[in-house]
Amino acid sequence: METNSQWIDIDAADGKFGAYLSLPRGGKGPGIVLLQEIFGVNQHIRNVADQYAADGYVVLAPDLFWREGARIELGYDEAGWKRAVELMQATDFAKAQEDVRATLKVLRGLDAVGDAKVASLGYCFGGRLSYHTAANGLVDAAVAYYGGGIQNALNRAPEIKVPVLMHFGAQDDHIPADAVKSIAETFDGNEQVEIHVYEGAEHGFNCNHRASYHQRAAAQAHGNTLVFLGEQL
């Protein structure tokens, strides 16, 4: 896949951090802030950025673990998991939300985006962050893949005024079925919130670098996301 991508710097209140920018072939399009899993802006997340750029979006993926070290990239082996959990636990979630705010300011300011709408799209840790980004009123739409912890932040549900799409795997051992049920029940009366549960899919089903990759669920979720973004942006 031919891509037009580069790392750019973004100013935060307490320093500078990198973000991976991937541009569509046409050079312009609606914006997506892409929010990483707990493994950093690794090859998989950059591939996802390039994929959505190929779909016509201007994608910016901030390095949210920069305070612990610039551009940390982890794999999915035991050592990678151990370090990833440590990094997630060391991350100040309020500061991560401010980093997303700073990233969105830069994204909206790009000539490639212009006056177009922007969305947040996150996986795992980034899925939870995408939900909060919607609640913070920073985007025109939000997508959350297997966002762990959303069930613990349902007090923010009334703050969500934009369309939100959530994807969950039916076999996810990190997000129990009753958590998904509580999320679905909370948003039952909100027609702007769409929830999909994929049969046979585990946590991380979208990532083809992981043992839990589920090709059909990944394809369905990507299709559902493209339709949703096409309608909302």
Side-chain angles (χ1 to χ4, degrees):
M1 190 176 359
E2 184 193 331
T3 60
N4 181 5
S5 62
Q6 60 174 306
W7 282 87
I8 63 170
D9 283 332
I10 294 177
D11 289 316
D14 52 343
K16 264 188 202 304
F17 61 93
Y20 180 79
L21 173 66
S22 194
L23 297 174
R25 190 179 289 271
K28 285 189 181 324
I32 292 175
V33 60
L34 178 64
L35 304 170
Q36 65 182 58
E37 301 174 304
I38 57 175
F39 302 94
V41 183
N42 60 7
Q43 187 64 58
H44 168 59
I45 293 296
R46 297 196 301 276
N47 289 349
V48 171
D50 295 342
Q51 180 181 40
Y52 280 95
D55 292 325
Y57 295 92
V58 177
V59 187
L60 193 55
D63 171 15
L64 298 172
F65 289 161
W66 65 278
R67 291 177 184 85
E68 297 295 314
R71 295 202 211 173
I72 293 171
E73 282 192 49
L74 301 169
Y76 301 94
D77 57 1
E78 196 179 337
W81 267 98
K82 186 169 178 287
R83 182 75 182 116
V85 171
E86 286 170 359
L87 287 166
M88 182 180 65
Q89 289 169 346
T91 299
D92 181 323
F93 201 73
K95 283 185 177 172
Q97 289 183 71
E98 287 308 310
D99 290 346
V100 174
R101 190 184 294 272
T103 304
L104 278 159
K105 190 178 171 189
V106 169
L107 180 63
R108 286 186 189 274
L110 294 172
D111 290 341
V113 174
D115 296 328
K117 291 182 173 179
V118 301
S120 57
L121 168 62
Y123 297 83
C124 174
F125 165 75
R128 173 165 56 121
L129 204 44
S130 185
Y131 170 82
H132 283 276
T133 302
N136 291 335
L138 300 177
V139 284
D140 300 297
V143 182
Y145 273 77
Y146 29 86
I150 291 174
Q151 72 273 18
N152 303 323
L154 292 174
N155 60 313
R156 300 207 68 189
E159 297 170 64
I160 292 185
K161 312 285 190 213
V162 297
V164 175
L165 172 64
M166 298 189 214
H167 304 292
F168 295 100
Q171 298 341 113
D172 193 324
D173 54 2
H174 295 263
I175 304 170
D178 58 354
V180 179
K181 187 166 173 267
S182 67
I183 295 165
E185 285 170 355
T186 299
F187 288 104
D188 192 33
N190 187 336
E191 287 181 4
Q192 292 201 100
V193 178
E194 193 182 322
I195 297 172
H196 292 273
V197 178
Y198 301 89
E199 287 307 317
E202 299 173 39
H203 194 75
F205 68 78
N206 183 69
C207 178
N208 59 1
H209 295 245
R210 292 168 78 158
S212 58
Y213 176 60
H214 193 290
Q215 197 271 336
R216 192 188 75 232
Q220 286 178 321
H222 184 226
N224 289 333
T225 300
L226 288 178
V227 171
F228 173 80
L229 292 175
E231 287 171 350
Q232 306 307 337
L233 304 188

